[in-house]
Amino acid sequence: MAEPSAAEQRWLQAAQDFTCRALPAHEGPGAPEAPPLLDAVLRCLRSAGGGDLPLGYSFIAISDLQHQQRVPCCSHLTWSTNEFKEWARQGEAALPMQSTLPRTYLILVGYLTDGRQENKEKLVDGCLYVKDNTGIIPCELLHFELEWLESLFLFPSWSYIPQTDKSATGYLEILLDPVPVNCLKKVPDTIPVICQASAKTLLTSRSPWKKRSKLTVAGELTRRGPLLCIHHKTFFFLFLKCCVSAVWVPVLVQKPSQLAWHRTLQLGCRYAITGLSLTSLKKSGQRTFVTSDTSCLLPYCAEQVREQSLDSAWQGESTQSSSLESAEQLSDILELRLEEERPRSTKESKIISYVGFVTKILNIQAGLILLDNKVCLCLAYQQLLNSARGLRPGACVELIDVHLVQKPLVSFPFIVLGACLSSAIVLKSFSRLSTPYQPPASSGNLYLELLFRYNLGMPLYLWLVSLLEMFEERFSCFFGHCHTLLHSKHRNPGAAEKFLVPLLQAVVPDREEARDIYNEILDRRHQCPLQKYSTLNPPCQALSLSAVCHVAEQKSWEGFSPSQLLSPLEEQHMGTQELNRRLAWSYCTFSAGSFQPRLILLGVLRVSSRSSSLQLQDKTSMLPCVISNRDGSPFAHTALIGSLLQVETYQLIVERFLQTDFPSWEHLANLEHVREKKHSVYVQFYYEDVQVLCAAGGQIQKSLGRGNSSSLRKKDSGSLTSELETPEAKMLKLEDPKPDTHRDENCQGRQSSSRTQSCVSHLFLVTQKEGLMLRNYQLPRKDDGEGWELQRSFQATVLWLGRARLWSHPRETGSLPELEENGCDGEKDMTQQEALLLFMGKSLRWFPFLHLDGLYRFIVPHCLDLEVFDKLCFPPAPVKFLSRSSCPLCLPVQDTWHLQHVTWISCLPELTARAVLTGMDRKISSIPEVLSNSFTGSLASFSGKIVERTLCASPKTEKPPVTFSLQKQKGSLLASEHTVKLSVSAAPGSPLVLDVYIASTYLQHLWGLLPGATILFQNLERKISRFCNVYCIYIASSCVSIISLPASPLPFPSSPAGEDSSPSLVFLSSLQPHLQSLPQARILCHLSCVLTLSLQWVCSLCSSIFKEGRCTRHSPPCPSHTGVRQASARVVVEDGTGEALVLCRNQHVAAMLGLSLLEWEALQNCVQSRGSVSIQHGEATGTGSVEEPEDLIACYLRSLCRSPLICRPILLDFSLDRKPSKILQPVAGVLAKCIHLLTSWIR
């Protein structure tokens, strides 16, 4: 024999080293040494390689394979390159978008075992493993024989599939039968069957049978149940059919050493099982054969078996008759079944068999796998004890006795094949593609836990899966890992479970009994959760926030017409500017029930320093939100930042902004005049309607049902303690990045620090807060460093309480030592100092949390300096310019400081609150006080309810604020020439209304200014008009806070509040001239006379007289060709207690004259040719300044006004006129009241 080459010698040395390291040596006398074992391995290699050693291959140990191989690979010892390429080409043909397994040149040798290690039988779960001295690894085989166990094999063709989780190991796919290194143990082929009693007698006998001899049962395998693990005990059932009849018997296999039978049993083959005994299941009472320790599984041999008939009661009613279907045949079945299933609400699934290729893993945790790109295989109703090994894209599987569930969920795109406990999943071929493997979770699987807890059918389970997938996709990035959201522990449910359990309890109120797996497997009549189903319309949905905004936008513009925003009677009399201004800003509101199905909002609460607004965020987008408390206190729960919230009761608001150039109301149907459409979406809700699914930094203590969100109480010892939310929420990354689906910055979770946890805090009370504005805090530009820019900021005046405190950890800041030491006995020497806080940059995030009369605490993390606040203070101006020595110092709030809301001053004990408020001037007034002539202040703060929101033109004398140029660059949604007028009422039904004017440039950060909302206005400038009306305007130092949301549904945007209730009936004598703010009332009176009447057509553009189809203005010429008709009248009414002058306009004039619609239209058309017609009470015929001497229209109107048909009793709704100086004194005496007709209710 030729001497081996140097390369062969090195290879042989490596083989010897591998054998000594990896292959276990036999023990005992006469055991072969390592060299004989090496010789056997080499002999096996030569036999497989045609006599040559595979010098191009190297040996690999199990541990090396697990720790060094990070990507899927395959090894084919006996294949040529062309054979491998053909094998790979066939794999790529199945899934063209996937790459094939890369080939490695490795030799794998090891023992095939079922996991038994000495006496540790609890490790046996029916799975197979390959082991050597270095480790053990799971494996999957397409063919297995029992005699292979505990034998040494060479594996000529295999694939290694690592897990996607780098910390876990993968598994082996054995592509070809392993080659034994040594001779296998001889197993007897047959054994005589000895039956001491008939099966019928044994199965029906009531006599004791436990002491009977063991039996041997032979027959054809008709069904093999899946491996199950119940109460830490693994077992499976198999069913044998008699060879001479259709009678079958069940056999329970539960011994750990026999679980490997599950791998070798082949349907349709005949077997004989020895050592069987009879048992009765405790719960169902059904009898079955069960294996013993001495039982053996043997091939069936007819010559040595004495057959015995069994009871006909076991005949195959329980077996499932099914046919093997392909993808094409399955489509034909569905088309035939479609017409059959439509009339019935409850459908019955058909049991079929199917062969297909795995094309995608839809959700391995939920047991959903896509076959042939059209069929969804659901394995959730079985236990995947082998962790779904082998079920990778590209693998071929055979499904036996699975349930065909057609359209279980309206939104589910695939046909579903559900595997129950009577189904079998057979792997026909492994995947040839380099597709990843991710095993299902063995414990804490919320999908399966909820499935079995509520015994869900297929439609409800698929809906549950869709909700959980949505939940994980949207929020896992915020909390570091999806385990935080999806984990489920006893009495400590995770966020997803908190969300889903109430929904499941609502749709499954009468939960059925727990699933009986033994009856499902053994009962003669098959029953399982997949047998019957109904197509489910999901009762609710939880869309992503980007989808919520998109759907809300669509619904707001769906079927939108500009004429919807205007009253049909008013639009005919509007000029171009007024018409387009009324269309410029509108809103619509949606509730959860406005969407089908009902929409639930989910989001992580964040606060933006760019917009200074609260936001709900998920991975897709953000949604601005307005949050209020039902007790009327502003929302200030800083501990809620970073928490995952669920909101089911809310108002989703879409503000619509239009830029239009409609010439007149007649052109409203022509949408070409709409030049630009914009919108803004936000949501508003109450804090009490929030469900906290995942709290940030600790448990959120919600005080629902109490009058305050956090209260201060006395301990038994007499000291004070506060129920405060943990400040750990402030240790989160509060600054929200811009929503970007291509970045993960908006999904950052908590940030840990190795520095000290000590912090310094200071308690303070907010006494005044100004609005968010561009102020003259000039900082260098960030882009080029040249020039200066205005800084967006706000400021608040606060009162420091006590001194700065040092804490060893932020969690300890829950108490109030500042008040305990000084304020509990009512002393007045509490350390107090006023300061002006300046918020800029990232500290702007605290704007929505900071409110008047709130107690807060600044926390400086990782700080030991108690003078940190004093060192940063500076005077607001040089000392020589200060008018008084008590001017508060300015303190710029740093970006790294955290704000903690403690409580409200109203929630403190009386003595403590009195000590804190000593010397403070309370500045909140009521609306009657602001309207009173005795009010002397130039700035007013008050609260009230918005009864009407109107867009009007800005006064020509008003200068645009300094922020306008910047706002325009940023794309303000409203034009600068617009001003918003809010009519604010002191209380529902109150006759006092105060108008508040806000320039459009201030509205960018003001959300929730809707009719019905209760608003706290601070520092508005109080003004008196030339008609002696009191009104307020929003200025740079003003601020608003939403303290109560509108009632649902919101009133129509164009309608004044209170229109739904009838006005109160009053007498004219009770009306006081100084009540200029009476919103609406009703009188029953008599129309005495018509003082003036004017009918005219005016140009829609310039308001000049419009005559004969054109504007009469000549200098300069008006290009308008559109006119609108207008009418006005002044009449005198009396009710026996007094008289008043009534002003009527437009459609009210027709009602006053008693003209029908046709008569009024004919009269207006006659006026159009003349331009205008007017008459006055008491003038002679022909003396009018406008009418011609023989003007028949004027004569008709004059006679009509003198007719007894006009002077009649009427019932009308009215409001007091707010500009009486415009009214000329009537000729027929002095009238004490002037009122303005609101509605056309005249009879």
Side-chain angles (χ1 to χ4, degrees), residues 469-485:
E469 288 178 339
M470 169 278 305
F471 205 88
E472 180 180 353
E473 171 66 20
R474 290 173 58 188
F475 303 114
S476 60
C477 56
F478 286 91
F479 298 92
H481 195 273
C482 62
H483 179 74
T484 307
L485 299 173

CSV table of all heavy atoms in Angstrom, one decimal, residues 469-485:
chain,number,residue,atom,x,y,z
A,469,GLU,N,-50.1,41.5,16.5
A,469,GLU,CA,-49.1,41.9,15.5
A,469,GLU,C,-49.0,43.4,15.4
A,469,GLU,O,-47.9,44.0,15.3
A,469,GLU,CB,-49.4,41.3,14.2
A,469,GLU,CG,-49.1,39.8,14.1
A,469,GLU,CD,-49.5,39.2,12.8
A,469,GLU,OE1,-50.3,39.8,12.1
A,469,GLU,OE2,-49.0,38.1,12.5
A,470,MET,N,-50.2,44.0,15.3
A,470,MET,CA,-50.2,45.5,15.3
A,470,MET,C,-49.6,46.1,16.5
A,470,MET,O,-48.8,47.0,16.5
A,470,MET,CB,-51.7,46.0,15.2
A,470,MET,CG,-51.9,47.4,15.4
A,470,MET,SD,-52.0,48.0,17.1
A,470,MET,CE,-53.3,46.9,17.7
A,471,PHE,N,-49.9,45.5,17.7
A,471,PHE,CA,-49.4,46.0,18.9
A,471,PHE,C,-47.8,46.0,19.0
A,471,PHE,O,-47.1,46.9,19.3
A,471,PHE,CB,-50.0,45.2,20.1
A,471,PHE,CG,-50.0,45.9,21.4
A,471,PHE,CD1,-51.1,46.7,21.7
A,471,PHE,CD2,-49.0,45.8,22.3
A,471,PHE,CE1,-51.2,47.4,22.9
A,471,PHE,CE2,-49.1,46.5,23.5
A,471,PHE,CZ,-50.2,47.2,23.8
A,472,GLU,N,-47.3,44.8,18.6
A,472,GLU,CA,-45.9,44.6,18.6
A,472,GLU,C,-45.2,45.5,17.6
A,472,GLU,O,-44.1,46.1,17.9
A,472,GLU,CB,-45.5,43.1,18.4
A,472,GLU,CG,-44.1,42.8,18.4
A,472,GLU,CD,-43.8,41.4,18.1
A,472,GLU,OE1,-44.8,40.6,18.1
A,472,GLU,OE2,-42.6,41.0,18.0
A,473,GLU,N,-45.7,45.6,16.4
A,473,GLU,CA,-45.1,46.4,15.4
A,473,GLU,C,-45.0,47.9,15.7
A,473,GLU,O,-44.0,48.5,15.5
A,473,GLU,CB,-45.9,46.2,14.1
A,473,GLU,CG,-45.5,47.1,12.9
A,473,GLU,CD,-44.1,46.9,12.4
A,473,GLU,OE1,-43.6,45.8,12.7
A,473,GLU,OE2,-43.5,47.8,11.8
A,474,ARG,N,-46.1,48.4,16.4
A,474,ARG,CA,-46.2,49.8,16.6
A,474,ARG,C,-45.4,50.3,17.9
A,474,ARG,O,-44.9,51.4,17.9
A,474,ARG,CB,-47.6,50.2,16.8
A,474,ARG,CG,-48.4,50.2,15.5
A,474,ARG,CD,-49.9,50.4,15.8
A,474,ARG,NE,-50.1,51.7,16.4
A,474,ARG,CZ,-51.3,52.1,16.9
A,474,ARG,NH1,-52.4,51.3,16.8
A,474,ARG,NH2,-51.4,53.3,17.5
A,475,PHE,N,-45.3,49.4,18.9
A,475,PHE,CA,-44.8,49.9,20.1
A,475,PHE,C,-43.6,49.1,20.7
A,475,PHE,O,-43.0,49.6,21.7
A,475,PHE,CB,-45.9,49.8,21.2
A,475,PHE,CG,-47.1,50.6,20.8
A,475,PHE,CD1,-48.3,50.0,20.5
A,475,PHE,CD2,-47.0,52.0,20.6
A,475,PHE,CE1,-49.4,50.7,20.1
A,475,PHE,CE2,-48.1,52.7,20.3
A,475,PHE,CZ,-49.3,52.1,20.0
A,476,SER,N,-43.1,48.1,20.1
A,476,SER,CA,-42.0,47.3,20.7
A,476,SER,C,-40.7,48.2,20.7
A,476,SER,O,-39.9,48.1,21.6
A,476,SER,CB,-41.7,46.0,19.9
A,476,SER,OG,-41.4,46.3,18.5
A,477,CYS,N,-40.6,49.1,19.7
A,477,CYS,CA,-39.4,49.9,19.6
A,477,CYS,C,-39.3,50.9,20.8
A,477,CYS,O,-38.2,51.4,21.1
A,477,CYS,CB,-39.3,50.6,18.3
A,477,CYS,SG,-40.7,51.6,17.9
A,478,PHE,N,-40.5,51.3,21.4
A,478,PHE,CA,-40.5,52.2,22.4
A,478,PHE,C,-40.0,51.6,23.8
A,478,PHE,O,-39.6,52.4,24.7
A,478,PHE,CB,-41.9,52.8,22.6
A,478,PHE,CG,-42.3,53.8,21.5
A,478,PHE,CD1,-42.9,53.4,20.4
A,478,PHE,CD2,-42.0,55.1,21.7
A,478,PHE,CE1,-43.3,54.3,19.4
A,478,PHE,CE2,-42.3,56.0,20.7
A,478,PHE,CZ,-43.0,55.6,19.6
A,479,PHE,N,-40.1,50.3,23.9
A,479,PHE,CA,-39.9,49.7,25.2
A,479,PHE,C,-38.8,48.7,25.1
A,479,PHE,O,-38.7,47.8,25.9
A,479,PHE,CB,-41.2,49.1,25.7
A,479,PHE,CG,-42.3,50.0,25.9
A,479,PHE,CD1,-43.2,50.3,24.9
A,479,PHE,CD2,-42.4,50.7,27.1
A,479,PHE,CE1,-44.2,51.2,25.1
A,479,PHE,CE2,-43.4,51.6,27.3
A,479,PHE,CZ,-44.3,51.9,26.3
A,480,GLY,N,-37.9,48.9,24.1
A,480,GLY,CA,-36.7,48.1,24.1
A,480,GLY,C,-36.8,46.7,23.5
A,480,GLY,O,-36.1,46.3,22.6
A,481,HIS,N,-37.8,45.9,23.9
A,481,HIS,CA,-38.0,44.6,23.4
A,481,HIS,C,-39.5,44.3,23.5
A,481,HIS,O,-40.2,44.7,24.4
A,481,HIS,CB,-37.2,43.6,24.2
A,481,HIS,CG,-37.1,42.3,23.5
A,481,HIS,ND1,-38.0,41.3,23.6
A,481,HIS,CD2,-36.1,41.8,22.6
A,481,HIS,CE1,-37.6,40.2,22.9
A,481,HIS,NE2,-36.5,40.5,22.3
A,482,CYS,N,-40.0,43.5,22.5
A,482,CYS,CA,-41.4,43.2,22.5
A,482,CYS,C,-41.8,42.3,23.7
A,482,CYS,O,-43.0,42.3,24.1
A,482,CYS,CB,-41.8,42.4,21.2
A,482,CYS,SG,-40.9,40.8,21.0
A,483,HIS,N,-40.8,41.7,24.4
A,483,HIS,CA,-41.2,40.9,25.6
A,483,HIS,C,-41.8,41.8,26.6
A,483,HIS,O,-42.7,41.3,27.4
A,483,HIS,CB,-39.9,40.2,26.1
A,483,HIS,CG,-40.2,39.4,27.3
A,483,HIS,ND1,-40.8,38.2,27.3
A,483,HIS,CD2,-39.9,39.6,28.7
A,483,HIS,CE1,-40.9,37.7,28.5
A,483,HIS,NE2,-40.4,38.6,29.4
A,484,THR,N,-41.4,43.0,26.7
A,484,THR,CA,-42.0,43.9,27.7
A,484,THR,C,-43.5,44.1,27.5
A,484,THR,O,-44.3,44.2,28.4
A,484,THR,CB,-41.3,45.3,27.6
A,484,THR,OG1,-39.9,45.1,27.8
A,484,THR,CG2,-41.8,46.2,28.8
A,485,LEU,N,-43.9,44.1,26.2
A,485,LEU,CA,-45.3,44.3,25.9
A,485,LEU,C,-46.1,43.0,25.9
A,485,LEU,O,-47.3,43.0,26.3
A,485,LEU,CB,-45.4,45.0,24.5
A,485,LEU,CG,-44.8,46.3,24.3
A,485,LEU,CD1,-44.8,46.8,22.9
A,485,LEU,CD2,-45.4,47.4,25.2
